[in-house]
Amino acid sequence: MEIVRSVAEAQQLARTWREAGLSVGLVPTMGYLHEGHESLIDAARAACDRVLVSVFVNPIQFGPTEDLGSYPRDLERDATICAAHGADAVFHPTGDDMYPAGFSTYVSVEGLTETLCGASRPGHFRGVCTVVTKLFNIVRPHRAFFGQKDAQQLAVIKRMVADLNMDVQVVGCPIVREPDGLAKSSRNTYLSAQERQAALVLSRAIRAAEQTVRAGERDAARVRAILEEEIASEPLAYLDYAQVVDGLTMEPVDTIGQTALVALAVRIGETRLIDNFIFEEGQSCS
Ligand code: PAF
């Protein structure tokens, strides 16, 4: 497996693949890979002839008081994981190569970036959409793989791809959880043992809300109340948001229709964690 460190090299490698008639899968990541990322690489491996994993902690999607400096980084470990899962290349560019002096073009998706994480993290999705657009332009993948844990991010990227006629298929992959329910996240490494235990409140709350919706509850306020009560029961948890939104527009709903996203963001100590479930009428309990 190759490690490619410049934009020009990554562009050249992907071009060679495409010219040989091979399908290209891209797995965009910020590194410190876990089983959630591994499932994306596995899905890309199964669907594409060549798989490129990008590992880049994208500075422009972090707010000024967020964890850009402390975000965990370990390229050697990431490369070992990528190789073990059959990736063909890791793309690990520098910040200067991605954002050279004079960089001044950004991609903003309106509307569905204004709720949930978009409301709590101003500028976050502009940074995500800009880097994902750059990665799509560099690699020109046939398919790109994203996790459903970042459900709003997935919806925003799908919107961007449709609106800007980007020639790539965006594939969403299910949330991967620890055996006790905690959704896998690179940020879980920030948690102390006590906080790790407290963090289980997120998946408990999501599970309780999911069971209520599956049992027929359609009043979004009641579902939000279930989430809020569960979070309030954990002294180390501070609620950022508990919301029920339309699965496509990310607009809050009063009544749950055919599809909805039930989403949570909670601070456990200094660590902000998210979790969700996507409701689609007719689907059984996961
Ligand atoms: O989900 C992530 O890890 C990041 O937001 C992404 C899509 C790699 C862009 O930096």
Side-chain angles (χ1 to χ4, degrees), residues 201 205 222-234 239:
V201 74
R222 292 210 198 102
V223 176
R224 278 201 314 272
I226 288 169
L227 294 170
E228 286 165 5
E229 271 165 37
E230 193 65 48
I231 301 303
S233 73
E234 171 48 64
L239 184 66

Side-chain angles (χ1 to χ4, degrees), residues 221-282:
R222 292 210 198 102
V223 176
R224 278 201 314 272
I226 288 169
L227 294 170
E228 286 165 5
E229 271 165 37
E230 193 65 48
I231 301 303
S233 73
E234 171 48 64
L236 294 185
Y238 171 80
L239 184 66
D240 178 348
Y241 65 73
Q243 261 301 358
V244 183
V245 298
D246 176 90
L248 287 179
T249 65
M250 303 287 118
E251 293 275 347
V253 293
D254 293 330
T255 306
I256 295 175
Q258 291 287 104
T259 72
L261 170 67
V262 176
L264 260 185
V266 174
R267 277 182 204 285
I268 307 285
E270 294 293 299
T271 307
R272 183 175 179 280
L273 299 174
I274 57 175
D275 202 345
N276 70 73
F277 88 93
I278 297 169
F279 172 70
E280 282 172 18
E281 190 85 73

Side-chain angles (χ1 to χ4, degrees), residues 16-93:
T16 312
W17 289 341
R18 277 194 315 277
E19 284 174 2
L22 300 168
S23 63
V24 178
L26 170 67
V27 181
T29 82
M30 297 207 300
Y32 218 75
L33 305 181
H34 50 67
E35 287 88 336
H37 298 113
E38 289 171 15
S39 75
L40 304 182
I41 303 170
D42 293 344
R45 183 67 287 161
C48 306
D49 297 319
R50 292 290 180 269
V51 175
L52 183 145
V53 181
S54 63
V55 172
F56 178 61
V57 182
N58 176 36
I60 67 166
Q61 71 185 69
F62 289 79
T65 60
E66 292 183 354
D67 57 342
L68 172 62
S70 55
Y71 199 85
R73 293 160 168 90
D74 189 340
L75 182 66
E76 208 176 310
R77 178 180 168 278
D78 290 342
T80 306
I81 291 173
C82 290
H85 286 265
D88 297 287
V90 168
F91 174 40
H92 181 57

Side-chain angles (χ1 to χ4, degrees), residues 28-30 58 61 128 131-132 146 150 153:
T29 82
M30 297 207 300
N58 176 36
Q61 71 185 69
V128 170
V131 81
V132 169
F146 297 87
D150 296 294
Q153 170 173 279

